[in-house]
Amino acid sequence: MCGIAGIASHDRGGLDPGALAAMSAALAHRGPDDAGEAALGDCLLAARRLSIIDLAGGHQPIAGCDGRVTVVQNGEIYNHAALREELERLGHRFRTRSDTEVLAHAYEEWGEGFAVRLRGMFAVALWDAGAARLVLARDRFGIQPLFYAQRGGRLAFASELTALAHAPGFSRELDPDAVAAFLAFNSIPAPLSAYRAARKLPPGHLMTWERGRTRMVRYARPRPVDRGDERSGTPEELAAEVRARLRDSVRAHLVADVPVGVLLSGGIDSSALTALAAEATAGRVATFSVGFEERSFDELESARAVARRYDTEHHELIVRPDAAELLPRIAAAYDEPSGDSSALPTFLVCELAAAHVKVVLSGEGGDELFGGYQTYVADRIAPVAGPVARLARPLLERLPSGSGRVPIDYKLKRFARAAHLPPLERHLGWKEIFSPALRAELTRGARAADPLVVYRERYAETAGAAELARLQDVDLGLYLVDDLLVKTDRMSMTHSLEARVPFLDTAVADLALALHTGHKVRGPATKRLLRRAVAPLVPAAVARGRKRGFSIPAAAWLRGPLLPFAREVLSPDALRREGVFDPTAVTRLLDRHAAGQEDLSRQLWGLMAFTLWQRRGAP
């Protein structure tokens, strides 16, 4: 894992080496082992390196055969050895074992088509001196981040928005469309960013800059197959194939010249990764877990059972709320606001892991690909149960608010509020943080685009697929990319730790996207085929266990030890000074939650996260 940055300008006055140095310095946590810069005519490139493969020879920027092509990369290319062999047969000569050098030669041989051939997680910037062309590419699943900003004929890019903010002439004006999207879903979907001046390169896209003009193409789009094209085979046959593909992916993701561990939550995804990593590793695998004092949130016993079964070198800690110290650190680690409260345990488990290894495997993607969320169960039963829930809604709304993991009152209220809507709106209604009316109240009616547009566009692209597969695809391309993967990347990278996600590998995803809905969700059962595939590898209680998620006791904490801190962060005077959220509306939400009238912990956590991000100091 690394951090990359650069500036391209056909006007040499737009190339500012001092700005590039500041951009690179802001990425030092992503690559503390090495730093490099290159001035290449109309382009400046910089890289910060976390050395994982070819520790001695992988310095970046790195050039191809004749120096015409120079590249910097953030990420890992898992098929770099196979690509190297193919390129050598075609006459290319390599100076290092680095996967980054393979990219330069691959572009020399295949041009912009090089990106399609890559198996891995990556954000790549490549300068073609012969064509005076800058090429940016992001992996097909959006695992690695890449931001860019255009100003006149100049293009700047960086792995994180905090670094990009040092680009010449960059404006830090907030984007009201991004604020509206954040309030809707606690994250900011690509191509939006928190600032008007910046955009994210979407997953599976390639962008070129040539003499001040840009062009963007989508080179890859993982999608569910159409109805009728789902994979055939018995459940036993398909489960064996899932297991084999996941085993192959884990082996590929273990390739490194440094130790690799596993973030072991105790759920089925991370437990499967632990089992397969232990199979493929000569020594003991290091595993890392966090738990909570609140028993309904604690999965340490499941994690310990897996660790015992595979005799891992197991490390764990118990999470206790220390808001004044932890939450500002987490906000500072994010380059734009994120309201995902599971960032807290993720931050801590990555801090724990970084003391022992430089690379960890993580289970992101398993839920979206194999059907792990309870919202998918709700999606399936809504056509039948929706009318009844709508009639019962007045009674359900009067239920007192609980403070457990996901209280039954919270589930029932959410279900009743959205079950009668069309499929996409219903699905998003269960995930929505603030309703349109509350968003307007919080922002005093500020004008902004409808945050649901990007979701509708994604949904429209899969018209031939089964309904549940279409909704999973929305989560795969948006919630996973702009919430979960952002969280995992920033929380790991702030500790100079590389996180790899074996479920998001083409070998695994291609099969998952071809499965019939019945192999994913049936009745209350989720991840049906994955559970069958993993059953021989993990304790029975893990294979059969319900999904808990990497969540925290936010509702209880915000009615107890975190409430004073929340009132301080969201005080009316402070909110008036910042001018984004209406203080009266925010105070009313705090009071309703504290009084137990409604579980508003997700909303309040998001507002705190945004406010702390604003106050983190100038980049």
Side-chain angles (χ1 to χ4, degrees):
M1 197 82 77
C2 303
I4 61 174
I7 306 169
S9 176
H10 61 87
D11 174 9
R12 297 294 176 88
L15 297 174
D16 184 345
L20 183 74
M23 294 164 73
S24 177
L27 296 170
H29 57 283
R30 297 188 72 92
D33 296 333
D34 191 17
E37 296 180 10
L40 306 160
D42 291 345
C43 182
L44 303 175
L45 294 179
R48 290 278 178 165
R49 185 170 179 237
L50 183 67
S51 301
I52 304 296
I53 294 175
D54 191 4
L55 307 187
H59 176 77
Q60 299 184 42
I62 195 166
C65 289
D66 57 6
R68 178 177 68 89
V69 176
T70 305
V71 63
V72 291
Q73 177 205 186
N74 168 31
E76 304 290 347
I77 309 302
Y78 301 122
N79 64 336
H80 71 93
L83 290 173
R84 179 190 306 272
E85 290 180 7
E86 182 178 359
L87 289 162
E88 285 177 335
R89 288 195 299 269
L90 293 169
H92 292 260
R93 295 294 176 262
F94 288 81
R95 300 185 306 278
T96 74
R97 294 188 301 106
S98 166
D99 59 340
T100 304
E101 186 184 359
V102 171
L103 298 173
H105 292 272
Y107 176 83
E108 290 171 343
E109 186 64 36
W110 300 305
E112 293 176 14
F114 84 103
V116 178
R117 294 171 171 263
L118 304 180
R119 178 188 185 186
M121 56 178 193
F122 57 85
V124 173
L126 182 150
W127 177 250
D128 181 344
R133 178 188 303 129
L134 176 68
V135 179
L136 305 178
R138 190 179 180 198
D139 69 75
R140 67 195 63 211
F141 293 105
I143 303 166
Q144 294 304 307
L146 192 59
F147 293 84
Y148 68 92
Q150 293 176 265
R151 182 180 172 87
R154 181 174 59 218
L155 178 73
F157 68 89
S159 294
E160 294 186 6
L161 190 57
T162 305
L164 185 61
H166 290 284
F170 188 91
S171 169
R172 296 181 179 89
E173 178 188 359
L174 290 176
D175 187 337
D177 293 345
V179 174
F182 176 83
L183 290 175
F185 297 108
N186 262 347
S187 61
I188 299 173
L192 294 175
S193 87
Y195 298 128
R196 281 184 185 269
R199 288 294 177 261
K200 303 181 183 92
L201 186 66
H205 279 67
L206 182 146
M207 181 179 187
T208 62
W209 175 98
E210 197 167 348
R211 304 187 191 283
R213 296 187 177 182
T214 58
R215 174 176 56 89
M216 188 180 299
V217 296
R218 178 190 267 178
Y219 72 85
R221 192 341 185 150
R223 68 176 69 230
V225 301
D226 287 349
R227 291 182 184 88
D229 292 335
E230 292 98 342
R231 280 289 307 273
S232 60
T234 67
E236 292 76 14
E237 291 169 340
L238 290 172
E241 187 173 352
V242 168
R243 191 164 54 248
R245 291 192 181 211
L246 192 56
R247 177 177 284 115
D248 174 68
S249 177
V250 168
R251 285 175 176 161
H253 283 70
L254 287 172
V255 174
D257 295 333
V258 296
V260 180
V262 183
L263 300 184
L264 176 58
S265 70
I268 189 169
D269 299 333
S270 64
S271 297
L273 297 183
T274 299
L276 294 170
E279 282 184 3
T281 303
R284 297 176 72 200
V285 171
T287 51
F288 307 93
S289 304
V290 296
F292 300 92
E293 293 176 320
E294 293 83 352
R295 290 188 59 82
S296 67
F297 288 81
D298 190 78
E299 288 188 286
L300 280 180
E301 282 307 316
S302 295
R304 288 167 184 162
V306 174
R308 285 193 298 269
R309 178 162 176 167
Y310 290 97
D311 188 29
T312 71
E313 182 187 316
H314 190 59
H315 309 266
E316 62 184 43
L317 59 83
I318 302 296
V319 175
R320 298 176 178 86
D322 186 0
E325 195 272 332
L326 274 180
L327 296 189
R329 288 176 65 196
I330 292 170
Y334 274 112
D335 51 353
E336 61 180 0
S338 174
D340 190 333
S341 61
S342 66
L344 190 150
T346 306
F347 179 93
L348 291 172
V349 76
C350 288
E351 185 175 53
L352 174 66
H356 302 273
V357 297
K358 291 183 76 169
V359 180
V360 289
L361 305 186
S362 187
E364 277 74 19
D367 289 314
E368 292 78 9
L369 288 169
F370 289 96
Y373 295 126
Q374 287 297 311
T375 49
Y376 299 146
V377 175
D379 285 320
R380 298 279 282 166
I381 67 173
V384 175
V388 176
R390 191 176 187 183
L391 290 173
R393 182 178 174 184
L395 294 175
L396 297 175
E397 293 290 357
R398 291 201 287 269
L399 290 174
S401 176
S403 296
R405 176 177 288 271
V406 185
I408 186 64
D409 66 280
Y410 180 87
K411 291 181 180 180
L412 291 173
K413 290 173 185 176
R414 279 273 170 166
F415 185 81
R417 290 169 189 171
H420 64 285
L421 298 173
L424 178 64
E425 286 72 15
R426 178 177 67 216
H427 184 72
L428 296 177
W430 291 325
K431 301 167 79 71
E432 190 174 55
I433 305 301
F434 288 105
S435 68
L438 275 173
R439 295 199 298 268
E441 187 177 352
L442 283 165
T443 59
R444 305 178 186 87
R447 297 184 63 181
D450 181 359
L452 269 62
V453 168
V454 66
Y455 295 83
R456 294 190 183 105
E457 290 174 347
R458 176 91 182 184
Y459 181 75
E461 293 176 350
T462 58
E467 189 59 55
L468 182 64
R470 300 180 72 187
L471 298 174
Q472 287 179 263
D473 179 70
V474 169
D475 289 343
L476 181 72
L478 293 163
Y479 172 62
L480 175 67
V481 173
D482 297 306
D483 185 321
L484 301 184
L485 291 177
V486 171
K487 172 195 69 180
T488 300
D489 177 82
R490 305 309 191 275
M491 297 304 100
S492 61
M493 280 281 88
T494 196
H495 299 297
S496 303
L497 177 74
E498 174 170 296
R500 299 179 177 180
V501 283
F503 280 96
L504 295 179
D505 180 82
T506 51
V508 178
D510 287 350
L511 176 56
L513 292 170
L515 293 175
H516 186 274
T517 292
H519 290 306
K520 302 169 188 174
V521 177
R522 181 178 294 171
T526 59
K527 285 184 178 172
R528 296 182 68 243
L529 189 65
L530 183 64
R531 292 179 190 278
R532 183 186 290 263
V534 170
L537 304 174
V538 301
V542 172
R544 295 194 301 263
R546 62 185 177 88
K547 176 177 176 57
R548 294 190 177 187
F550 207 24
S551 55
I552 66 170
W557 288 0
L558 285 167
R559 288 176 179 139
L562 293 195
L563 183 58
F565 180 74
R567 291 199 182 278
E568 177 187 342
V569 171
L570 300 175
S571 70
D573 288 344
L575 294 177
R576 286 189 194 96
R577 286 194 300 270
E578 281 142 10
V580 178
F581 301 129
D582 180 78
T584 302
V586 173
T587 299
R588 185 170 63 253
L589 293 171
L590 264 169
D591 291 343
R592 280 186 61 79
H593 180 83
Q597 296 172 302
E598 188 175 359
D599 180 0
L600 296 168
S601 56
R602 292 159 181 82
Q603 291 84 346
L604 294 172
W605 198 278
L607 292 172
M608 285 198 300
F610 190 100
T611 304
L612 288 168
W613 174 82
Q614 277 188 289
R615 297 174 190 169
R616 76 201 186 290

